[in-house]
Amino acid sequence: MTQIKLHNTKTRRKEVFTPLNTDNLRMYVCGPTVYDRAHLGNARAVVVFDSLFRLLREVYGADHVTYARNFTDIDDKINARAAATGRDISHITEETIGWYMSDMGALAALEPNIMPRATDYIAQMITMTEDLIAKGHAYAAEGHVLFNVNSCPDYGALSGRSIDDMIAGARVEVAPYKRDPMDFVLWKPSNAQTPGWDSPWGRGRPGWHIECSAMVHDHFGHSFDIHGGGNDLMFPHHENEIAQSSCAHPEGSFAQFWMHNEMLQVEGKKMSKSLGNFFTVRDLLQQKIPGEVIRFVLLSTHYGKPMDWTQKKADNAATTLRKWHELVKNARPASLDGAVLDHVANDLNTPGALMRMHELAKAGDADAVLAAGQFLGFFAADCDWWQPKQASDDVMVRVEALLTARSQAKFKRDFAEADAVRAQLAAAGVEVVDKPGGLSEAVITEAFDPDLLG
């Protein structure tokens, strides 16, 4: 059996992954708070853990792997969106979940086996909160229930932060009912305008962190294999999850492996609405960037390193994928190439797996490229974006005239003019593919606009 090695945030090193039970391997990943479209950074986490899901299924068998990813459908951001729009909260969350599933599906992400919604687990959250109070790890105060951080001696072990650093990083709420500034909310009161449920502490709603602990225990028990998410969740969310779960169920070990993907930038800068470089997945899809291309770019950087999304990377990915699609269009899947599997099994080295696909494509091994691509989430049966688009005869005459002008410029060694013609074609959505012998071919892409041909 293929040996899998993964970087374990808990131990800060790469370790051989050994499931607790090879017949019942369990992975939980923190999902979205459903009040708006998923942005590109959200998509990176989805694609990373989808790749891990595919690896685990390949090695242990699909029937032996359970992947859970939650929806946070009770949150102050959702409440604020409802108040601002006058819409019912349930309508907002249902719509947003539909958007999320559609957008992640466009990236070829497999659906998790379990997709629990927080509002379906309020009873379990109340039960866990009561248990933490009974064991001396939480206390009620002014309609709130707070976790007593000082009762958990290992608090901070996952992130490796000191208490002072954690206070600064968490921007902790200063409240008179807290015994310690680091204590965090398990339950809080609701007013008449805010969703709430009856509880021993009055009508209220759960804090953010308790929901994942309750849902994980309901589905996976007190010990399971892998917990994942973006590294922005490491503290305070994941740190608080560990504290709650380990104190409520000291007989277990909670997650054996913790995995976190690094953050994403756009054109070398932090993604920010104020900088105008904030993209949702839907924004890119509407710009005619295929989901398969987005996935390729996301897999081109190791999940443990910061990733920079650039238009050049997207253009290069589209070019590569078109060539691969053309190569495999009549291929039949072979056994998965061992080097591709070994790369992904080595801490999800997807860039290495893509380089191996380049080697297989260069060797003309279409069957192996098809098998590897399907393993990595490419070459779906209904994927046709790569096929050349048809244009009218008169438009193609204009395209051919520009190709001829470019060829003449290259013959005269006027490379500036040749590059300018190529840029003109690219701006109109025409990709130029140079062939052996100095010939060139025009590929009409999804973004084609004949009015920009000049």
Side-chain angles (χ1 to χ4, degrees):
M1 179 178 289
T2 300
Q3 184 183 77
I4 296 175
K5 292 184 178 180
L6 302 172
H7 185 270
N8 190 350
T9 307
K10 184 166 66 173
T11 61
R12 294 171 178 75
R13 63 176 182 266
K14 186 161 66 174
E15 301 175 347
V16 174
F17 172 70
T18 304
L20 294 172
N21 180 350
T22 55
D23 291 329
N24 183 24
L25 195 157
R26 292 153 292 164
M27 177 173 73
Y28 183 91
V29 175
C30 289
T33 300
V34 286
Y35 69 99
D36 207 347
R37 290 277 189 182
H39 58 69
L40 197 54
N42 302 140
R44 188 183 194 194
V46 170
V47 171
V48 164
F49 290 103
D50 178 69
S51 300
L52 179 55
F53 185 36
R54 290 170 180 269
L55 170 66
L56 297 174
R57 286 161 57 100
E58 178 71 24
V59 174
Y60 293 99
D63 293 340
H64 302 299
V65 180
T66 303
Y67 174 20
R69 186 184 65 215
N70 74 297
F71 289 112
T72 295
D73 60 349
I74 173 67
D75 185 87
D76 288 345
K77 291 179 181 178
I78 302 173
N79 300 339
R81 180 59 55 89
T85 61
R87 298 183 64 199
D88 186 88
I89 284 175
S90 64
H91 293 166
I92 292 173
T93 57
E94 284 297 325
E95 177 182 62
T96 308
I97 288 171
W99 288 344
Y100 185 85
M101 296 303 297
S102 174
D103 291 346
M104 298 309 110
L107 304 184
L110 301 174
E111 289 192 9
N113 306 100
I114 305 169
M115 292 182 280
R117 302 186 185 194
T119 52
D120 291 334
Y121 294 81
I122 300 297
Q124 290 90 330
M125 297 179 208
I126 291 174
T127 297
M128 180 174 280
T129 301
E130 289 179 308
D131 187 37
L132 287 168
I133 292 174
K135 291 175 178 174
H137 296 294
Y139 57 93
E142 299 183 23
H144 295 75
V145 180
L146 297 112
F147 184 86
N148 179 7
V149 168
N150 288 323
S151 73
C152 183
D154 293 331
Y155 190 78
L158 179 69
S159 59
R161 298 187 181 195
S162 68
I163 292 294
D164 289 341
D165 288 342
M166 286 189 283
I167 290 174
R171 298 179 182 177
V172 296
E173 178 188 3
V174 177
Y177 48 78
K178 284 188 175 185
R179 295 178 183 173
D180 185 279
M182 284 302 299
D183 292 350
F184 58 88
V185 172
L186 302 176
W187 189 264
K188 54 189 174 183
S190 295
N191 59 30
Q193 290 75 43
T194 308
W197 290 261
D198 291 334
S199 79
W201 318 285
R203 182 176 179 275
R205 60 198 191 280
W208 174 30
H209 314 298
I210 191 68
E211 67 176 61
C212 285
S213 289
M215 288 187 283
V216 166
H217 186 263
D218 193 75
H219 287 285
F220 291 163
H222 54 62
S223 303
F224 61 104
D225 297 289
I226 299 170
H227 195 314
N231 70 353
D232 58 322
L233 298 178
M234 190 186 308
F235 179 83
H237 186 52
H238 290 164
E239 200 76 75
N240 292 351
E241 272 192 72
I242 293 174
Q244 296 161 164
S245 297
S246 61
C247 290
H249 302 287
E251 72 279 12
S253 56
F254 202 48
Q256 303 298 298
F257 272 73
W258 283 86
M259 295 182 65
H260 295 89
N261 63 277
E262 264 286 355
M263 295 295 98
L264 178 142
Q265 296 180 324
V266 174
E267 302 288 351
K269 296 180 181 180
K270 181 179 179 180
M271 189 167 62
S272 168
K273 291 181 179 179
S274 64
L275 295 176
N277 66 349
F278 182 92
F279 298 115
T280 67
V281 174
R282 181 53 47 180
D283 289 335
L284 296 178
L285 294 173
Q286 289 177 341
Q287 292 171 21
K288 304 299 184 182
I289 299 178
E292 192 177 41
V293 170
I294 299 172
R295 184 181 183 95
F296 188 103
V297 176
L298 293 175
L299 292 179
S300 297
T301 300
H302 188 268
Y303 79 93
K305 296 181 180 179
M307 190 212 137
D308 189 21
W309 169 276
T310 68
Q311 186 60 48
K312 182 177 181 180
K313 288 181 180 179
D315 293 341
N316 291 341
T319 299
T320 296
L321 284 167
R322 282 196 184 93
K323 293 176 180 177
W324 288 357
H325 271 286
E326 187 66 33
L327 175 65
V328 306
K329 63 183 180 182
N330 296 317
R332 296 182 179 181
S335 298
L336 179 60
D337 178 74
V340 170
L341 180 59
D342 287 343
H343 278 303
V344 182
N346 183 18
D347 196 29
L348 299 187
N349 182 13
T350 53
L354 292 175
M355 288 303 299
R356 176 58 180 166
M357 285 188 68
H358 279 288
E359 294 173 358
L360 294 170
K362 187 176 181 180
D365 194 341
D367 292 350
V369 171
L370 179 59
Q374 289 177 337
F375 171 59
L376 291 172
F378 305 126
F379 307 143
D382 59 351
C383 183
D384 63 357
W385 67 268
W386 60 276
Q387 295 179 347
K389 305 303 175 185
Q390 298 300 314
S392 63
D393 290 343
D394 63 323
V395 168
M396 287 309 300
V397 168
R398 292 156 62 193
V399 170
E400 291 297 334
L402 286 168
L403 283 179
T404 299
R406 178 173 177 266
S407 296
Q408 291 173 346
K410 289 174 67 178
F411 179 77
K412 296 175 182 178
R413 304 187 68 78
D414 187 351
F415 298 115
E417 175 63 19
D419 289 344
V421 174
R422 183 177 191 135
Q424 182 182 355
L425 287 163
V430 180
E431 181 183 344
V432 178
V433 180
D434 290 325
K435 301 283 189 177
L439 300 176
S440 298
E441 177 185 350
V443 177
I444 308 300
T445 72
E446 287 278 358
F448 180 61
D449 184 349
D451 294 335
L452 298 178
L453 286 173

